């Protein structure tokens, strides 16, 4: 037992502790520094860190195992278990120390050293993926230190896209003991590696053991697995004294706990025989006790039983005979029993671990060998290592240089001895070695690691070799590099556009100048993914096609496929003949896609234009109800369309000139023949035009046709073809006569309508005059006399309320008449528009409302507004009404905020509003008032439509109708956006006079 008082720094050891570590003469008090100095130098740092971590985490218990120096200079392995006493901070540590099994510790340290020095990346993770331990190879592979890795989850190193596969494989370990997968791993510097992982679940510890092999630059994969079993033994000692009559006299607390004997159970009736099963007690009685009586002591193993469970407990016993000091006769016997179950389990585990380790070495898919001493005597070599060396098991036990004399002078022996001397591992990558295999000296390439093998005290006893024969990979890599260079030269120099994309993300690896010209791009896109290089193709189908080829390996060919590329900020349409073909590696797996393409935009556009022209011609002929014909001037044969045959009464589509002329009205035949002769002879022009009557050969139906034709010459310039169209103008001729009659009749009707319209306008003007003068004058008198009556002192109180209603109604009627007059004025025509600066208009309106703005603490912000062609008074009324509403319909207690902004509409926005083609301004009047529901966004512009009562918000209900009519008079659009309680925005869309609206006046 021991105690450490951290307040004064003293450490107290019990006499038993001092005697056990070989310091019987030392004082029982020592300092913490003295205790620390006795710890093995290799263990001092991590023991201090372990204790410091327990103090930082404010743990109540701490335990650790380390090597402690005895008085004779040798080391023993002790396990400390301590309880921490806290008073704000840890003031005392009370603990026990137990000497551990040296063989077990040495074996554990050996396997830990093997784990750390093995050239294959290895990690141990807990159930949550947290990294518990990582060897030096994995640290070198990942670029992280051991301390950094212990703060990470292994999932943080896995490439995000590979996590689902990794998690699925991890889930499969619930039913399988191990699994393998290949995925990407991110190094500390951001580099991404491809690694092959073998994951093994250790259910007893709840850990996952993972080997990680870098396969980025190799095509041959190897799997390496290794298990590391860590056993921690806790041994308890039982002390018991029994009389010579077998009566149990004393048993300590550790003994009671060991055999399941509660502290409250009396020993008065307990016999030694109670501790054993019958067969074991016979062995004690007949063998152990006689030897103890005879020699005075006995050591050995046997089993005792647990009082509660009846289980047999193997123990190592050390017994002594206790004699009477006076008579020298035996009076009792004492035994110290140590529970052998942990040691037995440890021995079995060590044996199993050693067996597993040797099996792992012998069965590992990589070459492994173990050399002992500086002479490098071959102690162990698995089948793969023997194959690498080209030797048999007969070389085991021989020095390496004796077994492989050809290694002399190649530097390998010197490297091995340097690792043995310095303890620094050596990593070789694709190193050339001359090895005699099959009685022939061969040049082979190897990846290998020389790692020192250490004992528990750090002494180096040998060197471990792990090697991979990568000769085929090195040669293949060189061949591939040469092949790739040739292929790359071919691609870059080819006049055919070619590009190569690699990886599932389709990264552009190689692209020649012809393809860059086709794409209208430069070489900066090399290294980018296809999606990064061409984001504009996202809504098109090319990504899906590439992914389909990558997934299925099937080639895709396209003819005249359309692609819209973004060039200099504008989309341009191209057409390509292209091929996507999968590229496969040596295993037949797809690793990329080669893309060849030909720009056929010009051909497609030309063909489409020709097709469109032909179709337009056919549509025009059909829509115009034309008939087509052609006459071969050499043969005299005439070919006719179905419509011509229908008009003329021809039975076949081909006829002769005689039959054709037979269908022409006799009075018109001479004219037709004369026009044809003139066109063929080029007397006036090469065009033919004639209007004549046709008589159906079968029915005799007569119709008027109008024909147009043109002469075509052969290469020698001789007329060879006369072709053209004919149109039935019978109905037009009849319609022309009817039209003349209708025009005359309509002219008379229009004159009568104009007279009625002038009369209506005069009546409207009279109405406006009556409304302005005759209606308003009585209302003024009603208000005046009502005011006089209201001021009378003898007016009865009951009359005041009706009188107030009369005054209020007359005022509303006056306002209504005034608004109706304003609305009627907007119906007048031929208003003259002038260039009007809206900034001036709005500032004048704000000045009119200056008092209301101050009273309501309102804020009005106005951005720069345009100059438009408008009637200034109407613009003033427009913004007056909009600003008045914004100041009227406000939320109680909230200062009004009004903004007036302007921006030009884009062409596509103009189309959305269905406005005539041209440029427009969008002037927005926005407020933070009470707003209104979207359901009323059209109702508010109707005459006399109100959303609130006059008592709450006064007004006539005509203001917004006036605003919309004013905007419509100016060729624009007015609409509103709002949400209840969130304010409103009125959009005033007006044309930009600088573009398409340049006339000085417009009729309303």
């Amino acid at each position: 037992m021991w105690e450490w008082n951290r307040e004064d720094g003293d450490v107290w050891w019990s006499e038993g502790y001092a005697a056990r570590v070989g310091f019987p003469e030392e004082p029982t008090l020592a300092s913490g520094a003295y205790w620390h100095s006795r710890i093995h130098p290799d263990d001092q740092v991590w023991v201090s860190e372990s204790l410091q971590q327990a103090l930082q985490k404010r743990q109540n218990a701490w335990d650790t195992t380390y090597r402690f120096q005895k008085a004779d200079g040798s080391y023993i392995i002790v396990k400390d278990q301590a309880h921490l006493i806290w008073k704000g901070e840890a003031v005392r540590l009370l603990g026990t120390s137990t000497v551990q099994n040296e063989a077990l510790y040495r074996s554990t340290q050996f396997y830990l050293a093997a784990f750390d020095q093995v050239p294959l990346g290895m990690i141990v993770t807990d159930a949550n993926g947290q990294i518990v331990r990582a060897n030096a190879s994995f640290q070198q592979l990942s670029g992280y230190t051991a301390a950094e890795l212990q703060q990470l989850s292994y999932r943080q190193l896995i490439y995000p896209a590979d996590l689902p596969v990794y998690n699925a494989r991890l889930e499969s370990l619930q039913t399988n003991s191990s699994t393998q997968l290949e995925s990407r791993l991110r190094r500390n510097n951001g580099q991404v590696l491809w690694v092959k992982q073998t994951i093994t679940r250790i259910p007893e510890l709840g850990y996952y053991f993972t080997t990680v092999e870098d396969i980025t630059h190799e095509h041959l994969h190897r799997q390496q697995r290794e298990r590391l079993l860590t056993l921690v033994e806790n041994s308890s000692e039982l002390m018991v004294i029994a009389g010579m009559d077998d009566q149990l006299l004393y048993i300590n607390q550790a003994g009671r706990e060991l055999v399941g004997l509660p502290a409250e159970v009396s020993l008065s009736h307990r016999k030694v025989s109670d501790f054993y099963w019958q067969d074991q007690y016979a062995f004690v009685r007949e063998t152990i006790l006689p030897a103890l009586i005879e020699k005075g002591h006995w050591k050995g193993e046997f089993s005792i039983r647990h009082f509660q469970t009846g289980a047999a407990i193997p123990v190592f016993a050390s017994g002594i005979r206790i004699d009477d000091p006076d008579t020298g006769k035996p009076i009792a016997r004492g035994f110290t029993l140590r529970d052998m179950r942990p040691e037995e389990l440890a021995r079995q585990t060590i044996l199993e671990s050693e067996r597993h380790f040797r099996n792992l070495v012998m069965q590992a898919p990589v070459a492994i060998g173990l050399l002992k001493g500086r002479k490098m005597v071959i102690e162990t070599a698995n089948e793969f290592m023997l194959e690498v060396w080209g030797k048999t098991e007969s070389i085991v036990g021989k020095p390496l240089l004796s077994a492989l004399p050809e290694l002399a002078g190649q530097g390998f022996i010197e490297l091995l001895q340097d690792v043995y001397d310095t303890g620094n591992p050596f990593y070789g990558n694709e190193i050339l070695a001359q090895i005699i295999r099959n009685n022939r000296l061969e040049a082979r390439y190897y990846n290998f690691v020389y790692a020192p093998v250490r004992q528990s005290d750090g002494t180096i006893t040998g060197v471990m070799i792990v090697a991979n024969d990568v000769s085929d990979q090195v040669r293949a890599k060189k061949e591939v590099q040469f092949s790739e260079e040739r292929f790359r030269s071919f691609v870059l120099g080819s006049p055919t556009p070619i590009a190569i994309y690699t990886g599932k993300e389709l990264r552009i690896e190689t692209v020649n100048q012809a393809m860059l010209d086709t794409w209208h791009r430069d070489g900066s896109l090399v290294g980018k993914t296809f999606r990064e290089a061409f984001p504009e193709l996202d809504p098109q189908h090319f990504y899906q096609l590439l992914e389909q080829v990558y997934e299925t390996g099937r080639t895709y060919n396209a003819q005249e496929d359309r692609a819209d590329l973004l060039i200099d900020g504008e989309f341009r349409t191209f057409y390509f003949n292209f091929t996507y073909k999968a590229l496969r590696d040596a295993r037949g797996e797809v690793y990329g896609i080669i893309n060849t393409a030909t720009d056929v935009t010009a051909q497609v556009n030309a063909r489409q234009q020709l097709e469109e022209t032909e179709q337009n011609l056919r549509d025009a002929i059909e829509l115009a109800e034309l008939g087509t014909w052609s006459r071969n001037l050499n043969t005299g044969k005439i070919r006719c369309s179905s419509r011509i045959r229908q008009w003329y009464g021809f039975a076949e589509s081909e006829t002769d000139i005689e039959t054709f002329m037979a269908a022409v009205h006799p009075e018109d035949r001479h004219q037709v023949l004369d026009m044809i002769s003139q066109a063929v002879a080029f007397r006036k022009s090469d065009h033919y035009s004639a209007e004549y009557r046709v008589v159906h050969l079968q029915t005799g139906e007569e119709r008027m046709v109008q024909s147009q034709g043109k002469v075509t010459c052969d290469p020698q310039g001789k007329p060879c073809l006369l072709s053209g169209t004919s149109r039935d103008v019978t109905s037009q001729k009849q319609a022309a006569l009817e039209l003349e009659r209708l025009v005359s009749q309509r002219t008379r009707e229009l004159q009568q309508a104009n007279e009625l319209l002038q009369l209506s306008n005069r009546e409207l003007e009279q109405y406006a005059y009556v409304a302005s003068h005759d209606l308003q004058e009585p209302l003024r008198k009603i208000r005046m006399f009502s005011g006089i009556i209201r001021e009378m002192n003898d007016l009865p109180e009951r009359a005041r309320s009706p009188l107030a209603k009369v005054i209020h109604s007359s005022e509303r009627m006056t306002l209504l008449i005034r608004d109706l007059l304003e609305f009627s004025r907007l119906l007048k025509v031929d208003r003259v528009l002038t260039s009007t600066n809206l900034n001036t208009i709005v500032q004048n309106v704000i000045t009119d409302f200056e008092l209301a703005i101050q009273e309501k603490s309102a804020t009005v912000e106005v951005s720069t507004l345009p100059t438009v062609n408008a009637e200034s008074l109407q613009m003033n009324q427009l913004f007056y009404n909009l600003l008045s509403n914004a100041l009227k319909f406000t939320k109680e207690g909230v200062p009004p905020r009004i903004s007036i902004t302007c921006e030009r509409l884009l062409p596509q926005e103009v189309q959305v509003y269905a406005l005539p083609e041209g440029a427009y301004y969008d002037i927005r009047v926005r407020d933070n008032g009470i707003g209104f529901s979207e359901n009323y966004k059209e109702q508010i512009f109707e005459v006399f439509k109100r959303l609130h009562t006059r008592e709450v918000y006064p007004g006539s209900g005509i203001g917004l109708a006036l605003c919309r009519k004013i905007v419509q008079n100016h060729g624009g659009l007015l609409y509103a956006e709002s949400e209840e309680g969130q304010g409103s925005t009125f959009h005033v869309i007006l044309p930009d006079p600088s573009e398409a609206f340049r006339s000085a006046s417009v009729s309303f």
Side-chain angles (χ1 to χ4, degrees):
M1 295 180 62
W2 53 269
E3 177 186 1
W4 181 12
N5 189 328
R6 297 187 70 246
E7 292 181 323
D8 54 21
D10 290 338
V11 176
W12 170 84
W13 292 329
S14 68
E15 293 181 1
Y17 182 95
R20 178 164 294 181
V21 298
F23 288 98
E25 302 302 328
E26 291 289 341
T28 57
L29 283 178
S31 66
Y34 177 77
W35 164 75
H36 187 266
S37 68
R38 310 304 299 179
I39 298 175
H40 192 284
D42 291 345
D43 298 344
Q44 288 179 354
V45 174
W46 63 263
V47 170
S48 297
E49 290 177 351
S50 172
L51 179 58
Q52 189 63 31
Q53 185 176 12
L55 294 173
Q56 290 176 351
K57 294 183 177 180
R58 302 186 66 83
Q59 298 176 356
N60 293 323
W62 170 71
D63 67 86
T64 188
T65 303
Y66 56 90
R67 291 167 289 181
F68 194 83
Q69 188 177 39
K70 298 172 62 176
D72 59 5
S74 64
Y75 285 92
I76 60 174
I77 301 167
V78 297
K79 178 179 179 64
D80 279 355
Q81 294 177 303
H83 176 73
L84 283 71
I85 299 175
W86 296 85
K87 292 183 179 179
E89 61 181 19
V91 296
R92 295 173 62 197
L93 279 77
L94 300 176
T96 61
S97 295
T98 306
V99 178
Q100 301 291 290
N101 183 282
E102 173 69 21
L104 174 62
Y105 181 82
R106 187 161 47 247
S107 176
T108 301
Q109 291 300 110
F110 173 77
Y111 290 119
L112 287 174
F115 175 85
D116 285 332
Q117 296 172 9
V118 73
L120 188 65
M122 293 185 178
I123 60 171
V124 178
T125 58
D126 61 17
N128 296 321
Q130 193 70 26
I131 297 176
V132 177
R133 189 176 185 90
N135 68 355
S137 295
F138 185 80
Q139 296 172 33
Q140 182 182 17
L141 178 70
S142 66
Y144 290 96
T145 65
E148 291 172 335
L149 287 170
Q150 288 179 353
Q151 302 300 318
L152 297 175
S153 167
Y154 185 53
R155 287 184 175 88
Q156 294 176 259
L157 305 184
I158 298 293
Y159 197 76
D162 298 338
L163 273 176
V165 176
Y166 174 79
N167 292 332
R169 292 297 182 86
L170 212 61
E171 185 68 23
S172 70
L173 292 180
Q174 300 303 317
T175 56
N176 302 317
S177 61
S178 65
T179 185
Q180 286 187 350
L181 78 153
E182 294 181 2
S183 68
R184 286 161 290 185
L185 182 140
R186 296 184 297 185
R187 301 187 77 245
N188 190 18
N189 61 2
Q191 180 185 4
V192 177
L193 304 177
W194 275 98
V195 295
K196 179 179 181 180
Q197 302 156 83
T198 301
I199 308 172
T200 303
R201 182 169 171 259
I202 308 176
E204 297 86 357
L205 301 178
Y207 286 167
Y208 293 90
F209 176 75
T210 305
T211 61
V212 185
E213 179 182 358
D214 183 359
I215 58 171
T216 304
H217 302 296
E218 290 85 13
H219 297 287
L220 186 62
H221 305 287
R222 288 289 183 266
Q223 177 185 0
Q224 186 176 24
R225 295 183 302 171
E226 188 172 346
R227 293 184 177 181
L228 180 63
L229 302 176
T230 304
L231 302 174
V232 179
E233 294 184 350
N234 293 316
S235 61
S236 300
E237 296 184 354
L238 180 151
M239 297 183 63
V240 61
I241 299 175
M244 298 306 293
D245 58 355
D246 219 21
Q247 177 67 39
L248 184 64
L249 302 177
Y250 170 78
I251 182 171
N252 64 359
Q253 183 61 32
R256 287 180 177 271
E257 293 177 357
L258 180 62
V259 299
L261 193 62
E264 63 271 12
V265 176
S266 173
L267 302 179
S268 58
H269 300 293
R270 293 292 178 182
K271 298 285 188 180
V272 173
S273 58
D274 296 339
F275 285 77
Y276 305 97
W277 294 107
Q278 187 173 355
D279 57 342
Q280 280 291 309
Y281 184 65
F283 172 70
V284 172
R285 185 180 64 250
E286 298 172 3
T287 302
I288 298 177
L289 292 180
L292 180 66
I293 297 299
E294 179 183 353
K295 297 180 180 180
H297 60 84
W298 184 88
K299 290 184 179 181
E301 296 182 8
F302 55 81
S303 298
I304 60 176
R305 75 180 182 89
H306 193 279
F307 282 91
Q308 304 296 327
T309 65
I313 304 173
V315 295
F316 180 84
S318 177
I320 60 171
R321 186 186 67 214
I322 302 174
D323 297 333
D324 187 325
D326 296 330
T327 64
K329 294 182 179 181
I331 59 174
R333 56 185 185 269
F335 275 87
T336 299
L337 285 74
R338 185 172 75 251
D339 187 355
M340 295 297 293
R341 288 175 298 181
E343 294 184 21
E344 182 64 23
L345 178 62
R347 282 198 297 269
Q348 293 176 1
T349 304
I350 291 173
L351 292 175
E352 183 69 14
S353 177
E354 290 178 350
R355 184 177 67 81
H356 284 180
F357 178 73
R358 291 199 175 274
N359 287 339
L360 181 63
V361 170
M362 300 306 293
Q363 299 176 16
V366 294
I368 299 178
L370 186 62
L371 308 179
K372 300 292 287 186
R374 201 171 189 280
K375 292 185 177 182
M376 304 299 149
V377 176
I378 301 172
E379 180 178 339
T380 302
N382 66 3
E383 180 181 350
F384 290 99
M385 182 58 80
L386 293 175
E387 182 180 349
V388 166
W389 288 338
K391 302 296 185 288
T392 64
E393 293 183 357
S394 61
I395 66 172
V396 176
K398 297 180 180 180
L400 182 62
L401 195 56
S402 298
L404 287 85
E406 64 269 23
L407 293 181
Q410 297 190 46
F412 297 105
I413 302 300
E414 292 77 6
L415 287 174
L416 287 165
Q417 291 175 343
D418 182 70
V419 172
Y420 183 88
D421 294 339
T422 65
N424 298 322
F426 178 81
Y427 299 87
N429 186 44
E430 298 182 359
I431 303 299
L432 175 65
Q434 303 288 339
I435 301 291
I436 296 177
R437 293 156 54 97
N438 300 321
N439 298 320
R440 185 180 63 184
L441 188 64
E442 296 183 6
R444 309 291 295 180
Y445 292 89
Y446 298 96
N447 291 343
F448 63 87
V449 176
Y450 294 160
V453 177
R454 303 175 185 269
Q455 291 184 337
S456 60
D457 60 358
T459 302
I460 297 175
T461 60
V463 177
M464 179 184 291
I465 302 176
V466 179
N468 276 336
D469 188 341
V470 294
S471 302
D472 294 339
Q473 294 94 307
V474 172
R475 295 189 183 99
K477 183 189 297 184
K478 292 181 179 179
E479 292 176 1
V480 168
Q481 290 174 348
F482 178 68
S483 176
E484 287 179 348
E485 287 300 322
R486 286 191 303 173
F487 180 68
R488 180 177 176 82
S489 298
F490 164 75
V491 169
L492 295 178
S494 174
T496 301
I498 301 175
I500 296 175
Y501 320 128
T502 58
K504 191 171 181 61
E505 69 275 14
L506 300 173
R507 194 169 299 279
I508 300 174
E509 181 181 274
T510 304
V511 57
N512 63 6
Q513 188 59 44
M515 182 62 89
L516 291 174
D517 294 341
T518 299
W519 286 340
H520 297 269
R521 297 290 201 276
D522 56 32
S524 62
L525 53 69
V526 175
K528 297 180 179 179
T529 65
F530 191 82
R531 191 180 296 271
E532 293 170 343
F534 300 98
E536 68 270 24
L537 297 181
D538 200 9
Q540 305 178 48
H541 64 289
F542 298 100
Y543 298 149
Q544 293 80 358
L545 291 175
L546 286 166
E547 291 172 352
Q548 179 180 344
V549 172
Y550 193 92
E551 293 294 336
T552 65
R554 291 195 293 270
T555 301
Y556 178 83
N557 295 295
Q559 296 294 321
E560 299 182 356
D561 209 347
R562 173 175 173 170
D564 295 325
L565 298 179
L566 187 63
I567 300 174
D568 297 330
E570 296 183 359
F571 277 99
R572 293 176 55 186
T573 298
F574 296 88
Y575 295 89
F576 298 100
N577 294 341
F578 64 89
T579 299
Y580 292 155
K581 184 175 182 180
L583 298 175
R584 301 180 183 272
D585 57 20
R587 299 172 298 174
E589 296 182 0
V590 176
Y591 72 88
I593 293 175
I594 182 170
N595 174 203
T596 58
T598 303
D599 187 350
V600 293
T601 304
Q603 297 93 305
V604 173
N605 288 340
R607 191 190 70 250
Q608 290 179 346
Q609 186 175 0
L610 178 60
E611 292 174 351
E612 183 179 356
T613 301
E614 292 176 348
Q615 184 61 43
N616 289 340
L617 179 59
R618 287 193 293 269
D619 292 343
I621 290 173
E622 186 64 29
L623 291 173
E625 297 183 350
L626 298 176
T628 60
W629 50 266
S630 64
R631 178 187 176 189
N632 189 319
L633 299 179
N634 295 323
T635 65
K637 295 295 182 181
I638 299 176
R639 295 189 63 84
C640 306
S641 67
S642 60
R643 185 170 278 121
I644 292 292
R645 296 200 307 271
Q646 178 184 352
W647 291 343
Y648 285 68
F650 298 151
E652 303 293 337
S653 60
E654 186 174 277
T655 186
D656 52 32
I657 186 63
E658 291 77 11
T659 305
F660 180 85
M661 293 306 298
V664 178
H665 195 283
E667 297 179 0
D668 299 334
R669 290 174 185 169
H670 178 74
Q671 172 198 352
V672 172
L673 289 173
D674 185 56
M675 297 298 294
I676 292 175
S677 299
Q678 291 183 19
V680 172
F682 294 98
R683 283 201 293 269
K684 294 184 177 180
S685 70
D686 59 349
H687 284 72
Y688 158 73
S689 177
E691 187 174 283
Y692 52 90
R693 288 166 290 178
V694 172
V695 180
H696 195 282
L697 294 177
Q698 308 300 326
T699 65
E701 180 184 0
E702 184 177 319
R703 67 181 70 238
M704 178 68 73
V705 297
Q706 187 181 69
S707 296
Q708 301 283 340
K710 187 178 186 301
V711 176
T712 302
C713 298
D714 61 16
Q716 287 74 35
K718 179 181 178 181
C720 63
L721 183 69
L722 176 62
S723 58
T725 62
S726 296
R727 182 165 62 99
D728 183 356
V729 296
T730 304
S731 58
Q732 287 89 325
K733 287 293 184 180
Q734 296 172 349
L737 297 175
E738 179 65 17
L739 181 60
E740 290 179 4
R741 185 184 67 79
L742 292 176
V743 167
S744 177
Q745 178 181 347
R746 188 59 177 165
T747 300
R748 292 192 300 273
E749 292 175 351
L750 286 175
Q751 289 175 349
Q752 295 174 0
N754 285 335
E755 292 174 358
L756 292 175
L757 180 60
Q758 292 175 2
L759 178 60
S760 176
N761 288 339
R762 287 194 297 271
E763 291 175 350
L764 180 61
E765 291 177 358
Q766 290 173 2
Y767 165 76
Y769 178 82
V770 170
S772 176
H773 297 85
D774 296 350
L775 292 180
Q776 292 193 65
E777 182 60 27
L779 287 173
R780 282 196 293 271
K781 291 181 178 180
I782 290 173
R783 294 201 308 273
M784 179 182 68
F785 288 115
S786 296
I788 294 173
I789 295 173
R790 183 177 55 187
E791 299 301 325
M792 291 181 179
N793 296 328
D794 56 350
L795 180 67
E797 189 64 32
R798 65 177 181 275
R800 291 188 179 276
S801 177
L803 183 61
K805 293 180 179 180
V806 170
I807 296 174
H808 180 68
S809 297
S810 62
E811 289 175 348
R812 285 199 298 108
M813 188 64 181
T814 301
L815 176 62
L816 179 60
I817 292 172
R818 185 171 63 249
D819 288 343
L820 283 173
L821 284 173
E822 292 295 334
F823 192 79
S824 66
R825 292 192 187 101
L826 296 178
L827 301 177
K828 291 186 178 181
V829 297
D830 297 330
R831 294 185 181 275
V832 177
L833 304 183
T834 60
S835 180
T836 302
N837 189 326
L838 295 184
N839 294 289
T840 303
I841 295 294
V842 171
Q843 289 301 323
N844 291 338
V845 172
I846 293 175
T847 301
D848 292 341
F849 284 104
E850 185 175 3
L851 181 59
I853 292 172
Q854 292 177 356
E855 289 177 348
K856 293 196 173 188
S857 301
T859 301
V860 182
E861 298 178 352
V862 183
S863 64
T864 301
L865 301 179
T867 297
V868 300
N869 283 341
E871 187 174 285
S872 60
L873 289 178
Q874 291 191 11
M875 287 296 106
N876 187 86
Q877 187 171 10
L878 168 66
F879 286 101
Y880 186 94
N881 288 353
L882 293 177
L883 193 60
S884 174
N885 283 352
L887 291 170
K888 181 193 301 180
F889 298 103
T890 59
K891 290 184 285 191
E892 186 175 355
V894 178
R897 293 198 309 275
I898 304 169
S899 66
I900 303 177
T901 59
C902 179
E903 62 182 34
R904 288 175 65 93
L905 290 179
L906 299 174
Q908 55 266 35
E909 292 176 315
V910 174
Q911 295 177 1
V912 171
Y913 292 127
L915 293 168
E917 184 178 352
Y920 291 83
Y921 292 112
D922 182 3
I923 303 170
R924 301 174 182 177
V925 180
R926 181 180 289 108
D927 63 60
N928 65 335
I930 61 174
F932 56 85
S933 172
E934 283 288 309
N935 297 330
Y936 302 113
K937 64 180 181 181
E938 287 300 323
Q939 180 178 331
I940 61 175
F941 293 107
E942 298 177 12
V943 178
F944 302 131
K945 291 294 184 179
R946 302 174 54 86
L947 302 184
H948 306 278
T949 64
R950 295 182 176 87
E951 289 73 15
V952 179
Y953 295 104
S956 64
I958 299 180
L960 289 179
L962 289 172
C963 291
R964 172 167 279 186
K965 188 61 181 175
I966 291 171
V967 175
Q968 290 174 346
N969 286 347
H970 289 79
L973 174 68
L974 174 64
Y975 71 94
E977 295 177 330
S978 183
E979 183 178 347
E980 281 192 82
Q982 302 301 318
S984 304
T985 300
F986 286 85
H987 293 259
V988 180
I989 311 297
L990 292 175
D992 179 2
S994 64
E995 294 292 332
F997 301 91
R998 302 183 181 275
S999 62
S1001 65
V1002 64
S1003 297
F1004 300 115

